Amino acid sequence: MVEHRIANWDNAYANGANIAGGERWPAAWDGPAQAFREKLLAQGRARLDIVYGKAPRNRFDLFLPPAAPRGLVVFIHGGYWMESDKTSWSHLAGGAVSRGYAVAMPSYTLCPEIRIGGIAGEVASAIGKAAAMVDGPLMLTGHSAGGHLASRMVSAASPLASDVARRIRQVVSISGLHDLRPLMFTGLNQTLNIDEREALCESPALLRPQPGARITCWAGGGERSEFLRQSALLANIWTGLGAATDSVVEPDRHHFNVVDGLADPDHPLTRRLVDE
């Protein structure tokens, strides 16, 4: 008999320390992101720091295709709800923009200044503001903690307004964290302050999906086993609750470079996000 048990929860959720050269991230994203912003600004196709709320980090950037947008993609950054902002990820709008979609990238208030439930509310406000600016179908994606937030938007208890939620055509959660309870065993919780009540209310895997929800849970083959488990978990549970789901493991990708496909209009990750 083989028993599976996690002895070191901190190591189970540690990404950079378990990736060769992992110390290069997140700084490795900054240069490409800045170059992309500058290019689209020069072309008049970037609107930066659009205000969607009262908090200092309640801002999003909007990147536009050359012609009228076919719809809107919202990318939600990761960083365990306590690190990063929109400026490190701009280049990942490249794939969807090249396929004719507008892409919004919000920042949000970070823990411990706010709880995860509060972040979900801020993200919903950002999506609502962006959706009012761009017509057509709405696609949501996010990485790691951002994958959690994207999935949370299509749970039955979504903080999104119903008219916005009805526009969602596809969600792609990339290396998403869908059950918050294991994080309560890690040192991260000194900052996140997740308690049992919040875990039950804010974990997509513990909630029902909205009727008609479509979600792809995407992870890299070189991920930590907990991220692979968390990715497969949501697809498994929500399939049994009536959602249209898929679970994809992309070979030769780890937790950081698994998002790179979003910069390429022909990559399967971009196609999964925007193709009907």
Side-chain angles (χ1 to χ4, degrees), residues 85-161:
D85 64 34
K86 59 186 173 60
T87 61
S88 293
W89 312 82
S90 308
H91 59 298
L92 299 181
V97 166
S98 294
R99 295 184 70 84
Y101 291 85
V103 178
M105 293 194 166
S107 291
Y108 46 82
T109 306
L110 301 176
C111 297
E113 186 177 346
I114 194 172
R115 299 187 70 92
I116 289 175
I119 295 174
E122 289 191 350
V123 168
S125 295
I127 294 169
K129 178 69 176 281
M133 299 171 66
V134 180
D135 293 331
L138 176 59
M139 285 67 65
L140 307 181
T141 188
H143 174 240
S144 197
H148 158 269
L149 292 164
S151 306
R152 181 71 179 83
M153 296 301 115
V154 289
S155 67
S158 174
L160 284 175

Side-chain angles (χ1 to χ4, degrees), residues 69-74 102 127-140 154 160-171 210:
R70 299 173 59 190
L72 174 67
V73 170
V74 179
I127 294 169
K129 178 69 176 281
M133 299 171 66
V134 180
D135 293 331
L138 176 59
M139 285 67 65
L140 307 181
V154 289
L160 284 175
S162 58
D163 60 327
V164 176
R166 283 193 296 268
R167 289 173 55 186
I168 297 174
R169 187 172 75 193
Q170 176 68 276
V171 175
Q210 288 193 340

Side-chain angles (χ1 to χ4, degrees), residues 249-270:
V249 177
E250 184 178 359
D252 303 319
R253 296 284 179 169
H254 55 62
H255 187 72
F256 297 134
N257 65 13
V258 69
V259 296
D260 290 352
L262 289 177
D264 180 355
D266 295 317
H267 192 279
L269 179 55
T270 299

Side-chain angles (χ1 to χ4, degrees), residues 198-247:
E198 184 170 48
L200 294 175
C201 291
E202 299 299 330
S203 296
L206 305 181
L207 302 171
R208 289 185 174 274
Q210 288 193 340
R214 294 176 63 203
I215 188 164
T216 296
C217 299
W218 192 289
E223 299 261 14
R224 305 294 291 151
S225 61
E226 269 297 273
F227 283 87
L228 291 167
R229 186 187 67 81
Q230 288 257 4
S231 186
L233 176 69
L234 184 65
N236 189 327
I237 290 176
W238 275 16
T239 296
L241 295 174
T245 73
D246 194 9
S247 181

